[in-house]
Amino acid sequence: KITSPTGVNLNSVQVLSKTTIFIAGEDDHVLISTDGNSFTVSKTGEKSGWKDVHFIHPDTGVVGGHPTRMCYTTNGGKSWITPAEWPASKSGIDAIHFYTNKIGYAIGGFRLLETLDGGRIWTDRGTSNTQSDFENFGDLHYMTTNRVFMTKSDGLYFSTNSLDWTNKLLKCSKGKFHFVNDLGLYAGATSDGLKGKAMFTSDNGVTWTSFSDVPSGNIFQDGRVFNSTNLLLVGDAGVIYKRK
């Protein structure tokens, strides 16, 4: 367990290198590490709970959440910019994923948004509030444009076109996942939402195995996989776990 500078729920983590880590959480908390072990708190100035974070490089990144939809920084979190109104997404952003450094997707408020310029301008992909698939999101991940994973409150879903989803493999509750080549980590909760749950895959998300030695007292919100033995989990009450 790593010492955390806060007790608020931590919802998302991104690792750029062994020393550079960003974590987004409730009550306008963005945690930044430059040594891989200790964290400082950066605040955007918005009264928002941040659900997801994505940095293209150590200086440039975005956070998305509720009620403020998104903020971005160009100086590594020293200051943050809140853009003007985002298209058709009044209820906030639940998940962000960048397929490349320029092409990214954000999901929330019954909308799937797309950016082609690294997160400055977003356009609506044309979804509507009649689509029940587009609610209660946990995470969104593009392996390729026709191999997309999403978590919701009732499990893990899979899509080949970003719009139509089929129930896939996992009994879980929201949470997020991260892939490196064929390796993947799910960090979330049991299907009843009462205990933390972490699972690992080594075959590109086809089969998953639960970790039996991960403490389940805190609900996990996100994780990162570096290799088969080096993993990172963040979650409720400021908890941070690192596996070596």
Side-chain angles (χ1 to χ4, degrees), residues 7-99:
V8 306
N9 293 345
L10 303 177
N11 298 322
S12 178
V13 59
Q14 187 184 17
V15 180
L16 291 187
S17 69
K18 292 181 180 179
T19 57
T20 306
I21 303 172
F22 299 92
I23 301 175
E26 300 297 320
D27 193 27
D28 192 25
H29 275 61
V30 182
L31 276 57
I32 300 174
S33 177
T34 57
D35 62 8
N37 287 294
S38 61
F39 292 85
T40 59
V41 177
S42 170
K43 294 211 171 188
T44 69
E46 296 287 346
K47 294 180 180 179
S48 195
W50 301 117
K51 302 300 181 184
D52 211 351
V53 58
H54 183 89
F55 272 73
I56 297 170
H57 55 70
D59 287 333
T60 306
V62 297
V63 288
H66 298 248
T68 303
R69 286 162 289 287
M70 209 171 292
C71 288
Y72 69 88
T73 180
T74 58
N75 57 14
K78 293 182 177 67
S79 62
W80 295 84
I81 299 169
T82 305
E85 190 69 38
W86 292 94
S89 187
K90 301 291 186 181
S91 60
I93 295 297
D94 292 302
I96 305 167
H97 185 255
F98 277 76
Y99 181 56

Side-chain angles (χ1 to χ4, degrees), residues 48-180:
S48 195
W50 301 117
K51 302 300 181 184
D52 211 351
V53 58
H54 183 89
F55 272 73
I56 297 170
H57 55 70
D59 287 333
T60 306
V62 297
V63 288
H66 298 248
T68 303
R69 286 162 289 287
M70 209 171 292
C71 288
Y72 69 88
T73 180
T74 58
N75 57 14
K78 293 182 177 67
S79 62
W80 295 84
I81 299 169
T82 305
E85 190 69 38
W86 292 94
S89 187
K90 301 291 186 181
S91 60
I93 295 297
D94 292 302
I96 305 167
H97 185 255
F98 277 76
Y99 181 56
T100 69
N101 282 348
K102 295 291 186 181
I103 302 173
Y105 299 89
I107 202 165
F110 299 103
R111 298 288 170 177
L112 178 68
L113 307 179
E114 181 181 52
T115 181
L116 303 177
D117 64 358
R120 300 297 182 89
I121 299 174
W122 297 79
T123 57
D124 193 340
R125 286 290 301 270
T127 53
S128 73
N129 58 12
T130 62
Q131 291 184 257
S132 59
D133 284 348
F134 281 80
E135 59 183 348
N136 299 319
F137 303 115
D139 198 11
L140 181 72
H141 184 90
Y142 282 75
M143 284 187 168
T144 65
T145 53
N146 60 1
R147 183 173 174 79
V148 189
F149 288 91
M150 175 179 72
T151 54
K152 292 176 59 176
S153 58
D154 58 351
L156 175 69
Y157 285 73
F158 175 76
S159 177
T160 58
N161 62 8
S162 304
L163 298 175
D164 302 306
W165 302 85
T166 56
N167 207 344
K168 188 75 175 171
L169 301 178
L170 301 187
K171 291 183 178 180
C172 56
S173 180
K174 288 196 173 182
K176 295 183 178 180
F177 38 79
H178 180 243
F179 291 93
V180 173

